[in-house]
PDB file of all heavy atoms in Angstrom:
ATOM      1  N   LEU G 368      13.229 -10.850  13.273  1.00 98.00           N
ATOM      2  CA  LEU G 368      12.815 -11.320  11.934  1.00 98.00           C
ATOM      3  C   LEU G 368      11.516 -10.661  11.631  1.00 98.00           C
ATOM      4  O   LEU G 368      10.497 -10.671  12.306  1.00 98.00           O
ATOM      5  CB  LEU G 368      12.612 -12.760  11.924  1.00 98.00           C
ATOM      6  CG  LEU G 368      13.856 -13.632  12.146  1.00 98.00           C
ATOM      7  CD1 LEU G 368      13.595 -15.093  12.222  1.00 98.00           C
ATOM      8  CD2 LEU G 368      14.794 -13.391  10.934  1.00 98.00           C
ATOM      9  N   SER G 369      11.383  -9.973  10.480  1.00 96.00           N
ATOM     10  CA  SER G 369      10.247  -9.326  10.098  1.00 96.00           C
ATOM     11  C   SER G 369      10.206  -9.305   8.477  1.00 96.00           C
ATOM     12  O   SER G 369      11.191  -9.372   7.764  1.00 96.00           O
ATOM     13  CB  SER G 369      10.228  -7.809  10.476  1.00 96.00           C
ATOM     14  OG  SER G 369       9.211  -7.031  10.007  1.00 96.00           O
ATOM     15  N   ALA G 370       8.979  -9.274   7.922  1.00 94.00           N
ATOM     16  CA  ALA G 370       8.829  -9.038   6.458  1.00 94.00           C
ATOM     17  C   ALA G 370       8.813  -7.633   6.164  1.00 94.00           C
ATOM     18  O   ALA G 370       8.729  -7.257   4.903  1.00 94.00           O
ATOM     19  CB  ALA G 370       7.490  -9.676   6.107  1.00 94.00           C
ATOM     20  N   ASN G 371       8.986  -6.622   7.048  1.00 93.00           N
ATOM     21  CA  ASN G 371       8.965  -5.229   6.757  1.00 93.00           C
ATOM     22  C   ASN G 371      10.411  -4.713   6.644  1.00 93.00           C
ATOM     23  O   ASN G 371      11.089  -4.682   7.621  1.00 93.00           O
ATOM     24  CB  ASN G 371       8.231  -4.406   7.874  1.00 93.00           C
ATOM     25  CG  ASN G 371       7.970  -3.023   7.554  1.00 93.00           C
ATOM     26  OD1 ASN G 371       8.989  -2.256   7.525  1.00 93.00           O
ATOM     27  ND2 ASN G 371       6.823  -2.583   7.443  1.00 93.00           N
ATOM     28  N   GLU G 372      10.684  -4.304   5.420  1.00 94.00           N
ATOM     29  CA  GLU G 372      12.147  -3.794   5.130  1.00 94.00           C
ATOM     30  C   GLU G 372      12.567  -2.655   6.016  1.00 94.00           C
ATOM     31  O   GLU G 372      13.628  -2.607   6.558  1.00 94.00           O
ATOM     32  CB  GLU G 372      12.213  -3.471   3.636  1.00 94.00           C
ATOM     33  CG  GLU G 372      13.647  -2.870   3.307  1.00 94.00           C
ATOM     34  CD  GLU G 372      14.773  -3.948   3.233  1.00 94.00           C
ATOM     35  OE1 GLU G 372      14.475  -5.185   3.192  1.00 94.00           O
ATOM     36  OE2 GLU G 372      15.902  -3.542   3.283  1.00 94.00           O
ATOM     37  N   ALA G 373      11.623  -1.674   6.195  1.00 93.00           N
ATOM     38  CA  ALA G 373      11.951  -0.572   6.935  1.00 93.00           C
ATOM     39  C   ALA G 373      12.229  -0.820   8.353  1.00 93.00           C
ATOM     40  O   ALA G 373      13.215  -0.250   8.956  1.00 93.00           O
ATOM     41  CB  ALA G 373      10.791   0.589   6.835  1.00 93.00           C
ATOM     42  N   ASP G 374      11.546  -1.694   8.974  1.00 94.00           N
ATOM     43  CA  ASP G 374      11.699  -2.145  10.425  1.00 94.00           C
ATOM     44  C   ASP G 374      13.027  -2.813  10.500  1.00 94.00           C
ATOM     45  O   ASP G 374      13.700  -2.577  11.609  1.00 94.00           O
ATOM     46  CB  ASP G 374      10.499  -3.022  10.829  1.00 94.00           C
ATOM     47  CG  ASP G 374       9.231  -2.301  11.038  1.00 94.00           C
ATOM     48  OD1 ASP G 374       9.302  -1.041  11.088  1.00 94.00           O
ATOM     49  OD2 ASP G 374       8.258  -3.006  11.201  1.00 94.00           O
ATOM     50  N   VAL G 375      13.348  -3.613   9.524  1.00 96.00           N
ATOM     51  CA  VAL G 375      14.607  -4.276   9.607  1.00 96.00           C
ATOM     52  C   VAL G 375      15.782  -3.417   9.506  1.00 96.00           C
ATOM     53  O   VAL G 375      16.757  -3.528  10.256  1.00 96.00           O
ATOM     54  CB  VAL G 375      14.637  -5.339   8.509  1.00 96.00           C
ATOM     55  CG1 VAL G 375      16.078  -5.942   8.349  1.00 96.00           C
ATOM     56  CG2 VAL G 375      13.831  -6.508   8.881  1.00 96.00           C
ATOM     57  N   ARG G 376      15.728  -2.424   8.585  1.00 95.00           N
ATOM     58  CA  ARG G 376      16.805  -1.485   8.527  1.00 95.00           C
ATOM     59  C   ARG G 376      17.053  -0.613   9.831  1.00 95.00           C
ATOM     60  O   ARG G 376      18.117  -0.376  10.237  1.00 95.00           O
ATOM     61  CB  ARG G 376      16.514  -0.539   7.281  1.00 95.00           C
ATOM     62  CG  ARG G 376      16.832  -1.131   5.930  1.00 95.00           C
ATOM     63  CD  ARG G 376      16.536  -0.155   4.805  1.00 95.00           C
ATOM     64  NE  ARG G 376      16.779  -0.681   3.478  1.00 95.00           N
ATOM     65  CZ  ARG G 376      17.943  -0.651   2.951  1.00 95.00           C
ATOM     66  NH1 ARG G 376      18.996  -0.057   3.454  1.00 95.00           N
ATOM     67  NH2 ARG G 376      18.094  -1.178   1.657  1.00 95.00           N
ATOM     68  N   GLU G 377      15.924  -0.264  10.371  1.00 95.00           N
ATOM     69  CA  GLU G 377      16.035   0.489  11.561  1.00 95.00           C
ATOM     70  C   GLU G 377      16.645  -0.382  12.743  1.00 95.00           C
ATOM     71  O   GLU G 377      17.372   0.119  13.555  1.00 95.00           O
ATOM     72  CB  GLU G 377      14.710   1.135  12.049  1.00 95.00           C
ATOM     73  CG  GLU G 377      14.676   2.000  13.114  1.00 95.00           C
ATOM     74  CD  GLU G 377      15.460   3.261  12.885  1.00 95.00           C
ATOM     75  OE1 GLU G 377      15.546   3.737  11.674  1.00 95.00           O
ATOM     76  OE2 GLU G 377      16.102   3.797  13.850  1.00 95.00           O
ATOM     77  N   ALA G 378      16.144  -1.615  12.842  1.00 96.00           N
ATOM     78  CA  ALA G 378      16.710  -2.502  13.849  1.00 96.00           C
ATOM     79  C   ALA G 378      18.166  -2.620  13.727  1.00 96.00           C
ATOM     80  O   ALA G 378      18.922  -2.570  14.602  1.00 96.00           O
ATOM     81  CB  ALA G 378      15.968  -3.855  13.789  1.00 96.00           C
ATOM     82  N   LEU G 379      18.627  -2.802  12.491  1.00 96.00           N
ATOM     83  CA  LEU G 379      20.106  -3.009  12.154  1.00 96.00           C
ATOM     84  C   LEU G 379      20.764  -1.701  12.572  1.00 96.00           C
ATOM     85  O   LEU G 379      21.962  -1.755  13.201  1.00 96.00           O
ATOM     86  CB  LEU G 379      20.369  -3.326  10.722  1.00 96.00           C
ATOM     87  CG  LEU G 379      19.985  -4.682  10.241  1.00 96.00           C
ATOM     88  CD1 LEU G 379      19.933  -4.850   8.813  1.00 96.00           C
ATOM     89  CD2 LEU G 379      21.064  -5.694  10.768  1.00 96.00           C
ATOM     90  N   ALA G 380      20.254  -0.525  12.294  1.00 95.00           N
ATOM     91  CA  ALA G 380      20.793   0.736  12.602  1.00 95.00           C
ATOM     92  C   ALA G 380      21.016   0.918  14.039  1.00 95.00           C
ATOM     93  O   ALA G 380      21.935   1.597  14.564  1.00 95.00           O
ATOM     94  CB  ALA G 380      20.031   1.925  12.045  1.00 95.00           C
ATOM     95  N   GLN G 381      20.117   0.292  14.836  1.00 94.00           N
ATOM     96  CA  GLN G 381      20.190   0.338  16.304  1.00 94.00           C
ATOM     97  C   GLN G 381      21.105  -0.706  17.018  1.00 94.00           C
ATOM     98  O   GLN G 381      21.148  -0.789  18.180  1.00 94.00           O
ATOM     99  CB  GLN G 381      18.732   0.273  16.956  1.00 94.00           C
ATOM    100  CG  GLN G 381      17.828   1.520  16.555  1.00 94.00           C
ATOM    101  CD  GLN G 381      16.514   1.361  17.255  1.00 94.00           C
ATOM    102  OE1 GLN G 381      16.364   0.558  18.259  1.00 94.00           O
ATOM    103  NE2 GLN G 381      15.535   2.259  16.766  1.00 94.00           N
ATOM    104  N   GLY G 382      21.634  -1.523  16.134  1.00 95.00           N
ATOM    105  CA  GLY G 382      22.599  -2.538  16.525  1.00 95.00           C
ATOM    106  C   GLY G 382      22.051  -3.922  16.836  1.00 95.00           C
ATOM    107  O   GLY G 382      22.722  -4.671  17.501  1.00 95.00           O
ATOM    108  N   PHE G 383      20.869  -4.173  16.328  1.00 97.00           N
ATOM    109  CA  PHE G 383      20.233  -5.566  16.590  1.00 97.00           C
ATOM    110  C   PHE G 383      20.382  -6.409  15.321  1.00 97.00           C
ATOM    111  O   PHE G 383      20.128  -5.921  14.217  1.00 97.00           O
ATOM    112  CB  PHE G 383      18.800  -5.447  16.998  1.00 97.00           C
ATOM    113  CG  PHE G 383      18.518  -4.763  18.316  1.00 97.00           C
ATOM    114  CD1 PHE G 383      18.355  -3.329  18.308  1.00 97.00           C
ATOM    115  CD2 PHE G 383      18.626  -5.452  19.448  1.00 97.00           C
ATOM    116  CE1 PHE G 383      18.057  -2.732  19.572  1.00 97.00           C
ATOM    117  CE2 PHE G 383      18.372  -4.841  20.706  1.00 97.00           C
ATOM    118  CZ  PHE G 383      18.125  -3.426  20.706  1.00 97.00           C
ATOM    119  N   PRO G 384      20.678  -7.690  15.463  1.00 98.00           N
ATOM    120  CA  PRO G 384      20.753  -8.609  14.313  1.00 98.00           C
ATOM    121  C   PRO G 384      19.295  -8.656  13.802  1.00 98.00           C
ATOM    122  O   PRO G 384      18.338  -8.975  14.549  1.00 98.00           O
ATOM    123  CB  PRO G 384      21.264  -9.944  14.952  1.00 98.00           C
ATOM    124  CG  PRO G 384      21.900  -9.497  16.135  1.00 98.00           C
ATOM    125  CD  PRO G 384      21.252  -8.308  16.654  1.00 98.00           C
ATOM    126  N   ALA G 385      19.142  -8.338  12.540  1.00 98.00           N
ATOM    127  CA  ALA G 385      17.766  -8.359  12.001  1.00 98.00           C
ATOM    128  C   ALA G 385      17.932  -8.761  10.467  1.00 98.00           C
ATOM    129  O   ALA G 385      18.835  -8.460   9.731  1.00 98.00           O
ATOM    130  CB  ALA G 385      17.115  -6.924  12.096  1.00 98.00           C
ATOM    131  N   ALA G 386      16.756  -9.321   9.978  1.00 98.00           N
ATOM    132  CA  ALA G 386      16.737  -9.681   8.624  1.00 98.00           C
ATOM    133  C   ALA G 386      15.263  -9.525   8.102  1.00 98.00           C
ATOM    134  O   ALA G 386      14.262  -9.766   8.884  1.00 98.00           O
ATOM    135  CB  ALA G 386      17.214 -11.113   8.387  1.00 98.00           C
ATOM    136  N   ARG G 387      15.139  -9.279   6.868  1.00 98.00           N
ATOM    137  CA  ARG G 387      13.807  -9.302   6.163  1.00 98.00           C
ATOM    138  C   ARG G 387      13.592 -10.673   5.705  1.00 98.00           C
ATOM    139  O   ARG G 387      14.298 -11.103   4.781  1.00 98.00           O
ATOM    140  CB  ARG G 387      13.782  -8.232   5.103  1.00 98.00           C
ATOM    141  CG  ARG G 387      12.399  -8.203   4.258  1.00 98.00           C
ATOM    142  CD  ARG G 387      12.396  -7.077   3.222  1.00 98.00           C
ATOM    143  NE  ARG G 387      13.298  -7.391   2.200  1.00 98.00           N
ATOM    144  CZ  ARG G 387      13.069  -8.321   1.154  1.00 98.00           C
ATOM    145  NH1 ARG G 387      11.961  -8.969   0.984  1.00 98.00           N
ATOM    146  NH2 ARG G 387      13.950  -8.402   0.164  1.00 98.00           N
ATOM    147  N   VAL G 388      12.555 -11.198   6.213  1.00 98.00           N
ATOM    148  CA  VAL G 388      12.150 -12.569   5.680  1.00 98.00           C
ATOM    149  C   VAL G 388      11.526 -12.555   4.439  1.00 98.00           C
ATOM    150  O   VAL G 388      10.572 -11.730   4.092  1.00 98.00           O
ATOM    151  CB  VAL G 388      11.122 -13.120   6.732  1.00 98.00           C
ATOM    152  CG1 VAL G 388      10.552 -14.554   6.264  1.00 98.00           C
ATOM    153  CG2 VAL G 388      11.776 -13.286   8.168  1.00 98.00           C
TER     154      VAL G 388
END
Side-chain angles (χ1 to χ4, degrees):
L368 292 174
S369 173
N371 187 294
E372 176 71 19
D374 288 348
V375 166
R376 285 182 179 270
E377 187 61 34
L379 286 163
Q381 293 185 17
F383 294 96
R387 178 178 65 85
V388 173

